[in-house]
Amino acid sequence: MKDTVSDFFWQRLHGWGVRVIFGYRGDGINGLLGAMNRADGMIKFVQVRHEEMAAFMASAYAKFSGQIGVCMATSGPGATHLLTGMYDARLDHMPLLAIAGQQARAGLGGHYQQEVDLLSTYKDVASAFVAQASVAPQVRHLVDRAIRIAYAERRVTAIIIPNDLQDEPYVAPPRQHGTLHSGIGYTAPKIVPYEEDLKRAAEVLNSGKKVALLVGAGALHATDEVIAVADILGAGAAKALLGKAALPDDLPWVTGSIGLLGTKPSWDMMNECDTLLMVGSGFPYAEFLPKEGAARGVQIDIDPSMLSLRYPMEVNLVGDSAETLRALVPLLQRKADRSWRDGIQKGIAEWWRVLERRAMTSANPINPQRVAWELSSRLPDRAIITSDSGSCANWYARDLKIRRGMMCSLSGGLASMGAAVPYAIAAKYAQPDRPVIALVGDGAMQMNNMAELITVAKYWREWENPRLIVCVFNNQDLNQVTWEQRVQEGDPKFSASQDLPDVPYHRFAELIGLKGIYVDDPRQLGAAWDKALAADQPVVLEVRTDPNVPPLPPHITLKQAKHFASTLLHGDPNEASTIAGTVKELLSALLPGRKPSKTR
Ligand SMILES: Cc1ncc(C[n+]2csc(CCOP(=O)(O)OP(=O)(O)O)c2C)c(N)n1
Ligand SMILES: [Mg+2]
């Protein structure tokens, strides 16, 4: 049989190194799936429960493998379901290719069933490249461009293929006017700034007495270089959420996370520094960076559009973070006075003690911080950790001490709920030998992570390392937003929008053939983690956590404190002594100018 467009399509993707795609079928992609079946395992098809999950997986696959992530859906509803996961990749600068089916060419424009104008639908998220194939000879360059652009610009691209075209015989572009003759292949260039710009940066960094670093996802491959520069400059370093694995937390000058989910040492360092070096980060919250004019700034980013966006930098360097830092090192002078760094280290040592005290504070029944704290010391080497959006992201950001060789990620820029389990599944394909741990709120479980446990049940037996733990924080509340409403708006909890039904997640796991562990006693928590980590199959570890432990920022403004006080006056449904006690204590620990209290 002569190759169809679909046979050729997969051969071309294979030529580009694609070995796995995440998707869900429909008659809009019948031709493509028929051809994939004929190709007999050339590319692995991972069947998800919902197309959005396929796109999250593709995004996470790119994050954990460094390769393009590919997802596929049928025309109409399948294609629109992909969108949120595509935006996840877009906002976190990941290369992702979405493949969507479309109705037959003859019917297009006819308000036909499942006909959606996908070029328009994808135009924003895949603005770097989106095209709908019309004829067979076009398919080759659509694949080549979509993948090359995705890699080169770290962008989302999309190819839409009408279903009747998928079954047509493949025709190579003839050698005639109006045809394209494209090829396969992309290797990233070495991008380093000019020497004179490096010298300008070095002048700023050498003049500073109190240098602060902020590293993000762009520094994940530059750990040694960041350490070298920070040591020379006697600097401390904060980590944006997506850069959590860029520096291990056992280095005494790493202040940990920054921002709403951040730490007090990061907050203090940014307020007191006189020089800021930002590396590969799009960290969004400017109020956590130095006050404009208070520090001289240098930024390194591979993407020029991210430069001088959060803080007006004096020197903006376009370059790969590792290469650029390496080129900077010989130009930097070692700071003889180490008192700035000593001060940072003292603050960090105290902060880890504060975190431990907070984690060990009793709660009803289990303090959610303790869930992350107990995991931290038990994290297996080379573990991959994912988190959902919700209060667990606070504990993930602050309490987990990451060691070298681990990886971790979440939906960062989009901060979407529903990403943790699909991210964990993708990790199994990107890094098959590693143990994976997902932290998830109960709301996020109910949204779609529960359904994706079925995907885990379907595939885990074929994984090289079947260890995958989904830790559910069951607090029967959309807790992160309950607290945001209280603190940011001064509103009481709105039960109608916040209360969640209680679901036995561990029993659901058992029902579908996974292991389930339930814990509602803090004394059993450590043993529960040990059991989950020792299991040779996927586990759902359900922990009954207290919604009255506030996931608040490391500092709280007086305005927010006032809002909160007015909340209590208005009468919050949870206005019990626990909540008042917990929060008052926390406020007293965190308000600027106050000393941390003893118990929290
Ligand atoms: C798709 C999506 N919808 C809504 C939100 C807003 N949001 C952020 S966190 C959160 C609550 C999450 O609740 P849960 O998963 O139970 O975690 P908890 O905060 O209770 O620990 C909500 C609704 C979001 N980030 N993403
Ligand atoms: Mg919850």
Side-chain angles (χ1 to χ4, degrees):
M1 178 181 149
K2 206 173 165 340
D3 277 354
T4 64
V5 163
S6 297
D7 293 314
F8 171 80
F9 184 80
W10 295 124
Q11 286 158 21
R12 200 68 176 179
L13 258 76
H14 188 266
W16 272 98
V18 173
R19 295 293 179 270
V20 58
I21 77 157
F22 305 94
Y24 203 80
R25 82 165 303 144
D27 67 354
I29 46 173
N30 272 347
L32 285 168
L33 286 164
M36 188 178 254
N37 196 15
R38 286 195 291 280
D40 201 20
M42 183 172 74
I43 295 178
K44 164 101 182 155
F45 181 85
V46 177
Q47 180 209 63
V48 298
R49 300 314 103 202
H50 184 298
E51 293 85 351
E52 181 177 315
M53 301 296 104
F56 274 137
M57 287 181 206
S59 174
Y61 183 83
K63 289 182 179 189
F64 293 131
S65 73
Q67 307 289 307
I68 191 168
V70 184
C71 55
M72 178 164 72
T74 189
S75 48
T80 55
H81 269 180
L82 287 178
L83 274 171
T84 302
M86 292 167 75
Y87 273 107
D88 180 56
R90 173 75 189 100
L91 268 66
D92 287 347
H93 308 269
M94 285 297 121
L96 180 147
L97 169 64
I99 302 158
Q102 180 56 290
Q103 282 307 341
R105 287 165 292 177
L108 291 178
H111 192 69
Y112 202 73
Q113 186 192 34
Q114 289 195 337
E115 184 195 351
V116 170
D117 176 2
L118 292 177
L119 280 172
S120 301
T121 306
Y122 287 164
K123 195 66 213 173
D124 179 47
V125 68
S127 54
F129 184 79
V130 49
Q132 182 164 303
S134 311
V135 291
Q138 201 188 355
V139 171
R140 177 169 128 188
H141 74 257
L142 294 191
V143 172
D144 293 344
R145 288 203 76 203
I147 298 185
R148 186 173 291 109
I149 289 170
Y151 269 124
E153 301 178 19
R154 294 179 326 285
R155 293 287 293 268
V156 172
T157 58
I159 303 175
I160 303 151
I161 315 183
N163 59 17
D164 60 325
L165 178 61
Q166 294 169 23
D167 289 326
E168 278 205 352
Y170 176 65
V171 180
R175 187 161 185 259
Q176 68 182 40
H177 189 67
T179 60
L180 280 100
H181 300 263
S182 63
I184 289 177
Y186 176 77
T187 48
K190 172 175 168 176
I191 302 178
V192 201
Y194 285 110
E195 186 72 10
E196 62 202 66
D197 295 320
L198 291 168
K199 280 187 183 150
R200 285 195 301 126
E203 186 280 316
V204 173
L205 298 169
N206 287 333
S207 310
K209 295 198 164 29
K210 298 186 280 183
V211 184
L213 264 66
L214 172 59
V215 301
L220 286 173
H221 66 294
T223 304
D224 286 328
E225 290 79 1
V226 172
I227 292 174
V229 166
D231 280 342
I232 296 172
L233 296 174
K239 301 186 288 185
L241 203 50
L242 290 170
K244 187 170 173 68
L247 287 170
D249 288 300
D250 41 22
L251 290 172
W253 44 268
V254 171
T255 62
S257 53
I258 184 171
L260 290 168
L261 313 182
T263 70
K264 189 164 181 301
S266 296
W267 167 256
D268 292 340
M269 177 173 74
M270 289 299 161
N271 277 309
E272 290 161 23
C273 70
D274 62 13
T275 309
L276 172 64
L277 171 58
M278 205 160 137
V279 185
S281 176
F283 170 68
Y285 305 137
E287 70 273 28
F288 289 88
L289 296 178
K291 192 163 167 260
E292 240 188 86
R296 297 177 75 188
V298 174
Q299 188 177 352
I300 301 168
D301 207 292
I302 194 87
D303 180 349
S305 76
M306 297 306 291
L307 291 167
S308 261
L309 202 56
R310 316 298 192 208
Y311 188 85
M313 299 289 173
E314 204 170 314
V315 183
N316 292 288
L317 301 176
V318 179
D320 170 80
S321 56
E323 297 288 352
T324 305
L325 290 170
R326 222 174 291 149
L328 259 179
V329 165
L331 306 176
L332 298 177
Q333 293 151 8
R334 188 181 156 83
K335 301 225 185 290
D337 180 355
R338 312 299 278 187
S339 56
W340 163 246
R341 193 183 239 199
D342 291 345
I344 292 171
Q345 295 192 175
K346 258 189 217 131
I348 293 167
E350 170 56 19
W351 173 253
W352 283 113
R353 286 192 286 273
V354 170
L355 281 184
E356 180 164 23
R357 280 200 297 272
R358 287 189 187 180
M360 293 305 160
T361 302
S362 63
N364 184 20
I366 291 182
N367 184 331
Q369 289 161 103
R370 184 160 175 180
V371 182
W373 185 265
E374 298 275 3
L375 167 64
S376 196
S377 56
R378 291 175 167 83
L379 279 172
D381 287 342
R382 302 186 72 249
I384 297 183
I385 306 113
T386 71
S387 171
D388 219 283
S389 290
S391 64
C392 66
N394 294 262
W395 326 130
Y396 160 89
R398 290 197 197 115
D399 294 76
L400 281 189
K401 268 193 181 177
I402 292 302
R403 302 193 305 275
R404 232 181 145 155
M406 295 179 180
M407 301 177 97
C408 38
S409 200
L410 38 53
S411 171
L414 192 64
S416 177
M417 284 170 71
V421 175
Y423 265 48
I425 293 170
K428 286 293 175 192
Y429 292 93
Q431 301 281 341
D433 63 324
R434 292 180 182 241
V436 179
I437 299 156
L439 306 179
V440 196
D442 50 352
M445 279 310 281
Q446 293 173 18
M447 184 175 271
N448 51 17
N449 283 302
M450 267 179 97
E452 232 39 58
L453 288 178
I454 299 168
T455 306
V456 174
K458 178 173 157 84
Y459 288 108
W460 74 268
R461 282 187 180 80
E462 60 186 54
W463 292 340
E464 183 184 327
N465 180 337
R467 282 207 288 170
L468 187 155
I469 301 171
V470 176
C471 174
V472 185
F473 292 69
N474 183 351
N475 53 18
Q476 292 169 60
D477 184 30
L478 295 172
N479 197 236
Q480 176 71 23
V481 256
T482 297
W483 281 105
E484 284 168 358
Q485 185 89 14
R486 286 179 180 136
V487 174
Q488 292 170 3
E489 309 289 331
D491 285 339
K493 174 178 170 178
F494 177 36
S495 293
S497 76
Q498 302 309 107
D499 288 346
L500 291 173
D502 191 10
V503 172
Y505 306 94
H506 69 293
R507 281 174 42 210
F508 176 74
E510 286 165 359
L511 270 179
I512 61 170
L514 307 179
K515 194 177 173 69
I517 302 175
Y518 176 76
V519 51
D520 59 3
D521 177 347
R523 288 166 306 182
Q524 310 290 326
L525 187 57
W529 268 122
D530 288 336
K531 208 165 133 192
L533 288 161
D536 55 2
Q537 68 168 107
V539 178
V540 170
L541 170 60
E542 178 184 349
V543 187
R544 181 72 64 161
T545 55
D546 188 346
N548 289 339
V549 175
L552 296 179
H555 75 298
I556 297 175
T557 62
L558 282 171
K559 197 169 146 209
Q560 286 170 327
K562 268 193 207 140
H563 271 321
F564 186 75
S566 70
T567 303
L568 287 183
L569 287 179
H570 287 145
D572 186 285
N574 290 39
E575 187 191 348
S577 53
T578 31
I579 203 170
T582 311
V583 173
K584 276 181 198 148
E585 214 171 344
L586 194 70
L587 290 181
S588 72
L590 297 175
L591 278 169
R594 303 275 183 89
K595 288 209 171 98
S597 82
K598 287 208 176 63
T599 47
R600 293 194 68 81

